[in-house]
Amino acid sequence: MPSLLGIEELPRPEIEAILARAKDFQPLQNQPHKKLDTLRGKMIVNLFFEPSTRTRTSFEIAAKRLGADAVSITASGSSVSKGESLVDTLNTLAAMRPNAIVMRHAASGAPHFLSRYLETPIINAGDGTHEHPTQALLDARTILDRTEALEGLRVAIIGDIAHSRVARSNVHLLSKFGVDIVLCGPASLLPPELAHIAPGVTLTHDIREAIREADVIMMLRVQLERQHESPFPAGEYFRFYGLTLEHLALAKPEAIVMHPGPINRGRELSSEVADFQRSVILNQVENGIAVRMAVLERIIG
Ligand code: NCD
């Protein structure tokens, strides 16, 4: 596993190994001062061309917990804003000999393109509308913390599916484990070809149908930064696709609510749902560190 570019091409045993290893790292969450020395002497560079709170911070914490050094660079504060090309920026960073580059970019395929030019392993932290592999891994870890196995679960993914790299990576991962996946959103945000993206996927425009008998409800943010048409007014979107407590009665009694964040209360979910006892949004954030530790260890350990 030299680079981690997407879930689509990641074999199931590799996914299982990462999820199992992440579980070993979970208890460290309660010992914030404990550092391992697995990656002592190693360095990762976080290169983020798009905003990020969770992903960037958790990669940084994950690296430090394993004893590595982490340097974070945002595009606005780098020479990218002075006109340097992507390849030149990456070559410059690679010349400083990091052990891995964690990268987020607005262009789908950017990390794949660069991985052909660089020897340094690249970890995709989100490329355009394409993939966000560590998000799907931490989502799977979070689901598995509450259930024995992924097989046979019904997972509803609701919202702006068209522009969501989170949805795409989750579909690829869940599909490898025989999950029944329902994608739901307004017609303009749910292209019909997504029904063929992986086995086990069905589409619906009806949020109630999506939620019925679901074990997991995964809500997505409307990616306004990737939409070129004028978006729905927030109130209208919420009326049709916003998750409310009332909807949850349709799901299985133990169903959990997930969201990759950042959440927009009153747009894709109500405030009551966000703070609901079966909302695991902050557990997802917590698992982000354990999963990224497992990924870093696997790639540069
Ligand atoms: C997601 C992303 O950037 O793709 N956020 C994240 O990494 N947790 C989802 C989003 O921005 O809506």
Side-chain angles (χ1 to χ4, degrees):
M1 194 173 145
S3 283
L4 175 61
L5 301 176
I7 297 290
E8 185 173 7
E9 57 274 17
L10 197 64
R12 177 173 160 157
E14 199 73 49
I15 295 172
E16 286 168 331
I18 294 168
L19 296 177
R21 190 62 179 139
K23 197 176 171 68
D24 297 336
F25 289 132
Q26 281 175 331
L28 288 175
Q29 211 44 41
N30 303 320
Q31 300 157 267
H33 302 297
K34 182 160 177 178
K35 272 194 182 179
L36 307 177
D37 59 6
T38 325
L39 299 185
R40 191 157 17 131
K42 310 261 177 165
M43 181 190 31
I44 69 152
V45 169
N46 270 328
L47 179 59
F48 278 64
F49 293 90
E50 281 194 329
S52 172
T53 306
R54 284 146 279 266
T55 309
R56 204 186 71 194
T57 315
S58 61
F59 264 113
E60 202 169 313
I61 294 173
K64 289 181 176 162
R65 289 255 163 92
L66 290 169
D69 292 313
V71 183
S72 289
I73 303 164
T74 47
S76 58
S78 73
S79 289
V80 176
S81 60
K82 298 182 185 171
E84 189 173 64
S85 78
L86 185 55
V87 172
D88 285 334
T89 302
L90 266 285
N91 274 329
T92 303
L93 294 173
M96 298 179 198
R97 305 261 179 263
N99 299 91
I101 296 176
V102 178
M103 177 185 168
R104 168 170 288 187
H105 198 278
S108 301
H112 307 67
F113 167 75
L114 289 165
S115 71
R116 277 188 251 128
Y117 290 91
L118 294 185
E119 303 251 315
T120 316
I122 295 187
I123 302 173
N124 181 4
D127 63 320
T129 61
H130 178 230
E131 280 232 36
H132 190 349
T134 56
Q135 180 70 42
L137 289 164
L138 73 89
D139 288 341
R141 184 63 267 159
T142 307
I143 298 171
L144 284 168
D145 287 344
R146 280 159 193 80
T147 174
E148 290 283 292
L150 296 173
E151 277 85 358
L153 293 181
R154 179 175 159 92
V155 176
I157 308 181
I158 301 167
D160 182 357
I161 312 283
H163 301 102
S164 178
R165 53 196 178 204
V166 174
R168 229 164 282 267
S169 287
N170 265 294
V171 165
H172 287 303
L173 190 152
L174 297 170
S175 161
K176 290 179 204 274
F177 288 84
V179 170
D180 179 12
I181 306 158
V182 190
L183 303 179
C184 172
S188 57
L189 302 178
L190 184 66
E193 59 271 20
L194 282 175
H196 311 294
I197 174 179
V201 177
T202 52
L203 311 186
T204 175
H205 301 305
D206 178 354
I207 187 171
R208 293 174 169 274
E209 189 185 319
I211 292 170
R212 199 159 289 130
E213 292 302 306
D215 298 281
V216 175
I217 305 167
M218 201 179 276
M219 302 306 294
L220 299 173
R221 182 175 66 88
V222 180
Q223 309 266 303
L224 293 173
E225 71 275 30
R226 300 187 213 287
Q227 291 184 22
H228 307 299
E229 320 78 47
S230 52
F232 299 94
E236 191 179 330
Y237 181 85
F238 183 75
R239 187 137 43 88
F240 289 99
Y241 292 100
L243 188 68
T244 62
L245 283 181
E246 181 218 332
H247 285 128
L248 294 180
L250 299 167
K252 296 248 179 77
E254 296 306 313
I256 54 171
V257 177
M258 305 178 75
H259 193 306
I263 61 172
N264 285 285
R265 291 170 190 257
R267 185 187 280 268
E268 63 264 6
L269 76 183
S270 72
S271 217
E272 294 78 21
V273 169
D275 301 326
F276 185 54
Q277 48 162 355
R278 281 187 277 121
S279 148
V280 296
I281 299 170
L282 294 177
N283 304 82
Q284 290 172 266
V285 176
E286 216 176 315
N287 275 333
I289 296 174
V291 160
R292 289 174 177 125
M293 286 174 80
V295 166
L296 289 173
E297 181 189 59
R298 213 159 170 80
I299 290 180
I300 58 175

